[in-house]
């Protein structure tokens, strides 16, 4: 219900901005079309939320309606946020025009206000392009990680990473199965799932069945993200436990490690939990320190340590504990980037791609799925990482 109220606020806010910046749209037949489309988009969100119909398996005829609702909602948010500065400028310009002495030219300010009238068109265009791009499916990204002093037995060791799948209204278990099949086809040695697997716990069984399709030599190791905690932790834990009881090659790591042997070389994979015990930085850091102290304990001096962390900023702790490579997600790469630079790069210290601290490396995936199909310049990805010795 909270999401519907936020959505209603966005729709009303965009309507009020349009009414002042582009009055012609709120008159005559255009007004009727605008309100009709707004109601259609809101109903497309409301019916599944209240009745469950179309929430899990959307009937094919309703898929365009769902995508339209996403496009409309993102465009409405853009109109409301981007239109506010133009609205303030228009109100200020009108006030100055009334107070201006005769003969003063305010034409330039008027041109800026008129430019704001093009903003709704840009918002709709950008929203449409982003939704189309976000709905095209994942790409397979090859990444080579060069590690100093890597044992010869691990030179060429391949890891397939999926993360932030968000099985739910827009991502199906079949989509996840396609991602697992892509890693299988690549012949990686180990597959990892670095959190935010599922949003709709009613699809746990089919989701776990998709993970169990792994054919990697060392199976699949998984960790939890924030969405597992939010959407139904007990159901998700139960799903992983059911896989373990059936002997499926999938193991969940929660502040613990798993040792595998490859070519006679021990590899210790550490998986840490998401710090959900508070929002403050102090509490988060305390939780991370506890996770690091717990998950990294034990092991042998010659172990090559790989860390799985949903939040990429755990990298500092992982590097201090000796992890040679940390794999993370969570950020979705901001979902919008231009020329490879995330638009919202300020939101996270480690947003997308490769990072290095001394001899420790971090790779932050842009995510395999999404909870909202909108991406520009950051396509969903299945990552294939190859370790190389230098």
């Amino acid at each position: 219900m909270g999401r519907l109220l936020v959505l209603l606020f966005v729709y009303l806010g965009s309507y009020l901005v349009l009414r002042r910046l582009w009055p012609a749209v709120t008159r005559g037949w255009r007004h009727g079309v605008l309100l009709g489309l707004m109601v259609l988009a809101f109903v497309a969100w409301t019916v599944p939320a209240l009745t469950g119909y179309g929430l899990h398996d959307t009937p094919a005829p309703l898929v365009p309606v769902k995508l339209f609702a996403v496009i409309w909602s993102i465009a409405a948010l853009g109109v409301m946020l981007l239109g506010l500065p133009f609205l303030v400028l228009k109100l200020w310009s009108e006030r100055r025009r009334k107070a201006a002495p005769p003969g003063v030219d305010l034409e330039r300010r008027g041109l800026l206000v008129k430019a704001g009238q093009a903003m709704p068109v840009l918002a709709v265009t950008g929203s449409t392009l982003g939704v189309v791009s976000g709905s095209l499916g994942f790409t397979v990204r090859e990444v080579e990680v060069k590690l100093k002093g890597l044992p010869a037995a691990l030179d060429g060791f391949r890891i397939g990473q999926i993360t932030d799948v968000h099985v739910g209204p827009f991502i199906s278990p079949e989509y996840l199965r396609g991602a697992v099949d892509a890693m299988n086809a690549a012949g990686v040695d180990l597959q990892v799932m670095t959190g935010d697997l599922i949003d709709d716990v009613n699809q746990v069984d089919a989701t776990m069945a998709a993970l169990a399709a792994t054919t990697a030599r060392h199976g699949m190791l998984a960790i939890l993200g924030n969405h597992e905690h939010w959407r139904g932790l007990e159901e998700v834990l139960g799903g992983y436990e059911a896989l373990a009881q059936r002997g499926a090659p999938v193991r969940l790591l929660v502040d613990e490690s798993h040792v595998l042997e490859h070519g006679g070389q021990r590899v210790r994979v550490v998986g840490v939990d998401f710090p959900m015990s508070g929002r403050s930085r102090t509490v988060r850091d305390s939780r991370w320190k506890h996770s690091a102290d717990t998950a990294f304990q034990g092991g042998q001096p010659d172990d090559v340590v790989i860390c799985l962390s949903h939040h990429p900023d755990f990298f500092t702790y992982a590097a201090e504990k000796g992890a040679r490579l940390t794999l993370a997600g969570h950020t979705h790469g901001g979902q919008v980037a231009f020329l490879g630079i995330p638009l919202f790069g300020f939101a996270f210290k480690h947003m997308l791609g490769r990072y290095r601290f001394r001899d420790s490396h971090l790779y932050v995936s842009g995510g395999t799925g999404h909870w909202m199909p909108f991406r520009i310049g950051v396509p969903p990805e299945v990552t294939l990482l190859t370790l190389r010795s230098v």
Side-chain angles (χ1 to χ4, degrees):
M1 185 60 69
R3 289 187 177 184
L4 294 178
L5 291 177
V6 171
L7 199 63
L8 184 60
F9 172 78
V10 170
Y11 284 5
L12 291 177
S14 63
Y15 174 82
L16 293 175
V17 170
L18 280 176
R19 188 168 183 174
R20 292 305 302 267
L21 287 181
W22 206 356
V25 178
T26 58
R27 298 193 190 114
W29 64 270
R30 297 182 184 85
H31 192 212
V33 171
L34 176 65
L35 291 179
L37 294 176
M38 187 179 298
V39 170
L40 175 61
F42 191 72
V43 169
W45 290 110
T46 303
V47 171
L50 297 182
T51 68
Y53 179 74
L55 185 62
H56 313 308
D57 298 315
T58 305
L62 294 184
V63 171
V65 177
K66 179 182 284 189
L67 291 177
F68 161 75
V70 175
I71 292 172
W72 184 272
S73 301
I74 295 174
L77 181 62
V79 167
M80 186 178 73
L81 295 180
L82 300 178
L84 283 176
F86 288 102
L87 179 58
V88 171
L89 179 62
K90 180 179 181 180
L91 295 175
W92 178 74
S93 179
E94 290 175 348
R95 183 177 179 181
R96 289 294 301 272
R97 184 176 289 110
K98 292 179 181 178
V104 175
D105 184 13
L106 298 176
E107 184 64 24
R108 290 184 178 180
R109 297 189 182 97
L111 290 175
L112 288 175
V113 173
K114 290 178 181 178
Q117 295 179 349
M119 179 269 305
V121 177
L122 296 177
V124 172
T125 302
S127 177
T128 302
L129 292 176
V131 170
V132 171
S133 175
S135 302
L136 293 178
F138 59 80
T139 62
V140 177
R141 184 181 302 278
E142 293 271 3
V143 177
E144 192 172 83
V145 182
K146 297 180 179 180
L147 300 178
K148 184 178 180 181
L150 182 72
L154 297 181
D155 192 3
F157 186 80
R158 303 190 76 203
I159 304 171
Q161 180 192 12
I162 56 175
T163 188
D164 299 272
V165 182
H166 295 284
V167 172
F170 297 101
I171 299 293
S172 68
E174 290 74 24
Y175 179 96
L176 171 60
R177 175 60 186 268
V180 174
D181 286 344
M183 293 188 291
N184 290 340
V188 298
D189 299 296
L190 172 68
Q191 297 180 14
V192 300
M193 206 297 298
T194 51
D196 279 8
L197 172 66
I198 187 169
D199 286 350
D200 179 9
V201 293
N202 291 306
Q203 303 187 66
V204 163
D205 292 343
T207 298
M208 294 299 167
L211 294 184
T214 177
T215 59
R217 175 180 177 180
H218 299 293
M220 177 182 291
L221 299 176
I223 60 173
L224 299 172
N226 50 307
H227 278 244
E228 285 91 344
H229 285 273
W230 286 341
R231 304 303 185 194
L233 183 59
E234 290 186 7
E235 291 87 345
V236 174
L237 294 177
Y240 279 114
E241 179 61 27
L243 288 183
Q245 292 178 357
R246 297 202 306 268
V250 179
R251 176 172 177 175
L252 176 67
L253 301 177
V254 183
D255 286 347
E256 57 186 315
S257 65
H258 172 74
V259 176
L260 59 93
E261 188 173 297
H262 187 87
Q265 172 63 48
R266 282 170 50 103
V267 178
R268 187 153 60 99
V269 182
V270 175
V272 298
D273 198 4
F274 193 88
M276 294 295 294
S277 59
R279 294 181 179 273
S280 73
R281 185 181 182 88
T282 301
V283 174
R284 187 197 70 176
D285 289 348
S286 175
R287 281 286 298 136
W288 271 342
K289 185 178 185 305
H290 172 77
S291 290
D293 292 340
T294 303
F296 281 86
Q297 64 183 346
Q300 297 182 7
D302 62 342
D303 288 349
V304 173
V305 181
I306 297 173
C307 178
L308 308 180
S309 170
H310 184 61
H311 201 301
D313 288 353
F314 185 78
F315 176 49
T316 302
Y317 294 87
E320 289 176 351
K321 291 293 185 178
R324 301 300 308 280
L325 173 64
T326 299
L327 301 178
H330 186 55
T331 67
H332 297 208
Q335 295 203 187
V336 179
F338 299 101
L339 301 177
I341 302 175
L343 179 62
F344 306 105
F346 58 85
F348 291 92
K349 181 179 180 180
H350 308 99
M351 174 61 82
L352 177 66
R354 306 175 189 227
Y355 300 87
R356 182 176 179 178
F357 177 70
R358 296 176 182 170
D359 291 334
S360 296
H361 295 252
L362 165 69
Y363 182 78
V364 184
S365 167
T368 308
H370 43 64
W371 52 266
M372 178 69 75
F374 180 85
R375 287 178 177 267
I376 297 177
V378 188
E381 68 177 80
V382 171
T383 317
L384 307 178
L385 301 107
T386 302
L387 306 189
R388 293 296 182 190
S389 178
V390 292

